[in-house]
Amino acid sequence: MSPLEKLFTVEDIAQMTSLTTRTIRNYLKDGSLVGRKIGGQWRFTEEDIKNFMSRDAVITHFKDVAIQSIYDFIDGVNTDVKGKLQICNIIDLYTSYEKAVAKNNQICDIVNKEIKGMDIQYDVTIDGKEEDEEVKIRFVLYGPPSFLMKVYPLLED
């Protein structure tokens, strides 16, 4: 680990994944998520998070959450944005694995900058493996138009 490498907290991962801090701690306890304690608090590198997010059980969980959130949007269940304009987009992009990961990282950066004070939800799945010629990356994005307008240009090749 480089001394300049960004470290993430349990709260950071919870915010990135829409999981509770309790769930993150359960993943730590069962070994699905690996990190290190620094000053008595858990810290995680980007590599730790990528390894966690690539586990089959975690991928299945996120797919289930994404599907349920789409149904909730259609059914009008999302009440915490009452009275505000919110858009739900499902975007499938077919590209190389490397480009899919790069696009995901770019969008994650925007989400992490914008999420405070905004009603944003972001789900992503990559169907395929690194050795595949082409993979499908699916983005499910919820948020105000201003957020989505920052994301759309990143989807271009």
Side-chain angles (χ1 to χ4, degrees), residues 60-140:
T60 300
H61 170 79
F62 286 122
K63 283 183 179 181
D64 292 345
V65 167
I67 290 167
Q68 186 59 50
S69 64
I70 293 166
Y71 285 129
D72 289 349
F73 185 88
I74 292 168
D75 292 338
V77 173
N78 188 355
T79 58
D80 43 332
V81 294
K82 193 179 277 185
K84 298 178 186 174
L85 176 61
Q86 184 183 41
I87 300 169
C88 172
N89 284 226
I90 303 169
I91 302 162
D92 288 342
L93 177 64
Y94 296 87
T95 188
S96 70
Y97 183 85
E98 293 79 24
K99 285 184 180 179
V101 170
K103 299 280 184 197
N104 181 47
N105 290 341
Q106 290 174 316
I107 294 173
C108 280
D109 287 344
I110 290 176
V111 169
N112 289 332
K113 289 175 188 167
E114 299 287 330
I115 204 159
K116 290 179 176 64
M118 272 197 180
D119 298 311
I120 293 173
Q121 185 174 343
Y122 171 68
D123 299 303
V124 64
T125 55
I126 298 177
D127 291 330
K129 295 183 172 55
E130 195 165 356
E131 59 271 7
D132 294 342
E133 189 173 312
E134 186 176 77
V135 300
K136 177 180 87 173
I137 183 167
R138 172 168 280 180
F139 300 99
V140 181

Side-chain angles (χ1 to χ4, degrees), residues 7-10 34-38 41-45 48:
L7 296 176
F8 298 88
T9 65
V10 168
V34 176
R36 60 202 50 76
K37 278 198 169 183
I38 299 175
Q41 294 187 341
W42 284 102
R43 296 288 188 254
F44 309 92
T45 64
D48 294 333

